[in-house]
């Protein structure tokens, strides 16, 4: 028996369509404490969209052996001189990795290990990025248009946002003379 395909992805934008696609949005109002310049964040309209995530979650979160699939769309923009970016997280199960593939626009994957060493990888359409286990990860839009990438991660990885909200990354990706530069936080 041939079943109809219920989920499709547009490879040029990463957009998912079909049944069982969930979507969350993060606006400037949703991201207190995420950017280095809190005054600059508060000066922006609270409803400003920073990013949204479409996800296909075929099993319950926490299920061992399953996989999740999702696309993140990050708007272009700056908070002060810091690029619009995702909150960032460690996986709750630290030994669980993830794949990212860039679809459209220009971005950067920012990775920090548990010894707080931070680096970044430029993301361009078609670039494939392995997020190793035990690494906090977040993505910034370093271009002038929407940056999108898709991700595949284990359904039991979970998300630890609290460590990042409390301690941050050890460096921030700032727009210096029009170019992304990783600047250590004091
Ligand atoms: C999930 C994966 C992505 C992020 C998304 C938003 O493990 O890394 O789908 O959830 O890019 O980032 P964040 O940090 O707000 O979850
Ligand atoms: Zn992740």
């Amino acid at each position: 028996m041939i079943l109809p395909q219920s989920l499709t992805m547009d490879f040029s934008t990463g957009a998912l369509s079909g049944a069982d696609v969930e979507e969350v949005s993060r606006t400037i109002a949703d991201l207190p404490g995420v950017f280095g310049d809190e005054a600059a964040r508060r000066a922006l309209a609270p409803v400003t969209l920073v990013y949204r995530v479409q996800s296909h979650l075929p099993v319950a979160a926490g299920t061992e052996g399953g996989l999740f699939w999702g696309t993140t769309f990050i708007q272009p923009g700056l908070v002060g001189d810091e690029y619009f970016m995702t909150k960032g997280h460690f996986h709750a199960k630290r030994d669980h990795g993830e794949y990212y593939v860039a679809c459209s626009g220009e971005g950067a994957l920012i990775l920090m290990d548990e010894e707080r060493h931070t680096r970044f990888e430029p993301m361009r359409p078609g670039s494939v990025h392995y997020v190793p286990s035990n690494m906090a990860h977040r993505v910034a839009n370093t271009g002038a248009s929407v940056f999108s990438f898709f991700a595949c991660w284990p359904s039991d990885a979970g998300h630890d946002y609290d460590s990042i909200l409390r301690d941050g990354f050890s460096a921030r990706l700032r727009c210096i003379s029009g170019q992304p530069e990783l600047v250590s936080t004091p």
Side-chain angles (χ1 to χ4, degrees):
M1 183 171 61
I2 299 173
L3 294 173
Q5 182 61 36
S6 61
L7 177 72
T8 58
M9 190 180 84
D10 178 337
F11 264 77
S12 61
T13 64
L16 300 179
S17 52
D20 304 325
V21 175
E22 298 178 17
E23 183 158 337
V24 295
S25 295
R26 306 284 182 217
T27 65
I28 280 292
D30 297 324
L31 302 172
V34 169
F35 296 93
D37 187 342
E38 185 59 14
R41 185 194 68 85
R42 272 191 258 104
L44 293 172
V47 296
T48 305
L49 179 66
V50 179
Y51 64 100
R52 62 191 179 90
V53 184
Q54 288 186 321
S55 307
H56 177 63
L57 313 171
V59 295
T63 303
E64 288 184 12
L67 293 169
F68 288 157
W69 184 268
T71 303
T72 302
F73 307 84
I74 309 175
Q75 297 297 120
L78 295 167
V79 176
D81 63 4
E82 192 171 11
Y83 295 100
F84 276 14
M85 62 180 179
T86 60
K87 289 195 289 186
H89 56 268
F90 283 101
H91 289 154
K93 287 190 177 171
R94 291 288 203 277
D95 60 352
H96 284 33
E98 182 165 9
Y99 269 112
Y100 282 173
V101 183
C103 294
S104 65
E106 296 175 22
L109 168 60
I110 304 162
L111 295 163
M112 180 180 75
D113 66 23
E114 290 190 296
E115 282 72 51
R116 299 187 55 73
H117 300 123
T118 301
R119 62 183 169 85
F120 83 96
E121 299 175 3
M123 300 177 80
R124 296 291 181 275
S127 63
V128 180
H129 305 263
Y130 180 61
V131 178
S133 55
N134 304 301
M135 299 284 272
H137 42 289
R138 72 164 29 132
V139 174
N141 183 341
T142 56
S145 58
V146 173
F147 175 66
S148 66
F149 66 96
F150 60 86
C152 185
W153 67 102
S155 49
D156 61 335
H159 297 96
D160 169 12
Y161 292 106
D162 291 346
S163 300
I164 300 304
L165 267 180
R166 187 187 60 236
D167 303 327
F169 279 58
S170 63
R172 295 186 170 278
L173 196 66
R174 293 167 59 179
C175 178
I176 313 268
S177 305
Q179 294 300 316
E181 210 174 291
L182 208 48
V183 180
S184 296
T185 50

